[in-house]
Amino acid sequence: MKAVSTKNAPQAIGPYSQGIIANGFFFSSGQIPLTPEGELVEGDIVAQTNQVFKNLKAVLAEAGLTLNHVVKTTVFLSDMNDFAKMNEAYEANFGDHKPARSAVEVARLPKDVKVEIEVIAAFE
C-alpha cells in the first residue's frame, strides 16, 4: 500500500491520505471544493463541482493517472435538487468516459459544502 499526496490539492485535515494505491487500484479520499490553499470555493453547485474535479485531477496525476482511468465514483450531495446541475459539470469533466457511479444525498458535508466526490481508478 502506498499513500499519494500532492500540494496541488487540499491537504488532508485529519488522519487520512489524499489517496492510496493498492493492488493495482487508486482510491481517493473524498474531495470537497477547497483550493489547494485550503480556501472554500463559494458559489453554485457547478463552481463547487468543477473545483472538486480540479482536486481529483491533481491527486490522480500525482499517482500517474487521469480521469480516464477512473472506474467508479461516489458523489455525495447536500441537496439532491442540485443533481442535474452537478451532472452537467460532471459530464463536462469526464467527457465521453463514463465510469460506474453512485450519487446520494447526505444530511451534511464537511464545511457545509454542496458536493463531495471520491473515485476509484485502475492502473491499466
Side-chain angles (χ1 to χ4, degrees):
M1 204 165 66
K2 177 184 174 196
V4 174
S5 179
T6 178
K7 294 194 181 304
N8 296 323
Q11 298 303 297
I13 54 174
Y16 62 90
S17 301
Q18 290 173 323
I20 292 288
I21 296 170
N23 297 322
F25 290 95
F26 169 80
F27 302 86
S28 81
S29 290
Q31 291 292 321
I32 63 173
L34 292 176
T35 67
E37 297 76 31
E39 295 178 26
L40 179 63
V41 171
E42 300 288 344
D44 67 4
I45 188 68
V46 172
Q48 289 199 2
T49 301
N50 284 328
Q51 181 61 48
V52 167
F53 270 96
K54 287 179 187 175
N55 298 340
L56 289 168
K57 289 175 188 176
V59 178
L60 284 161
E62 187 66 25
L65 300 166
T66 69
L67 288 175
N68 287 332
H69 293 94
V70 173
V71 295
K72 171 74 167 74
T73 69
T74 306
V75 179
F76 304 94
L77 295 166
S78 62
D79 184 348
M80 194 56 82
N81 290 319
D82 286 333
F83 180 83
K85 291 284 188 188
M86 177 283 301
N87 204 46
E88 290 174 16
Y90 180 100
E91 185 175 21
N93 279 279
F94 271 115
D96 291 334
H97 182 59
K98 296 185 179 7
R101 177 177 78 184
S102 300
V104 297
E105 179 180 284
V106 296
R108 194 168 180 200
L109 290 166
K111 299 191 178 281
D112 293 316
V113 299
K114 298 175 186 301
V115 62
E116 179 174 354
I117 302 174
E118 64 184 27
V119 301
I120 299 171
F123 289 91
E124 296 182 62

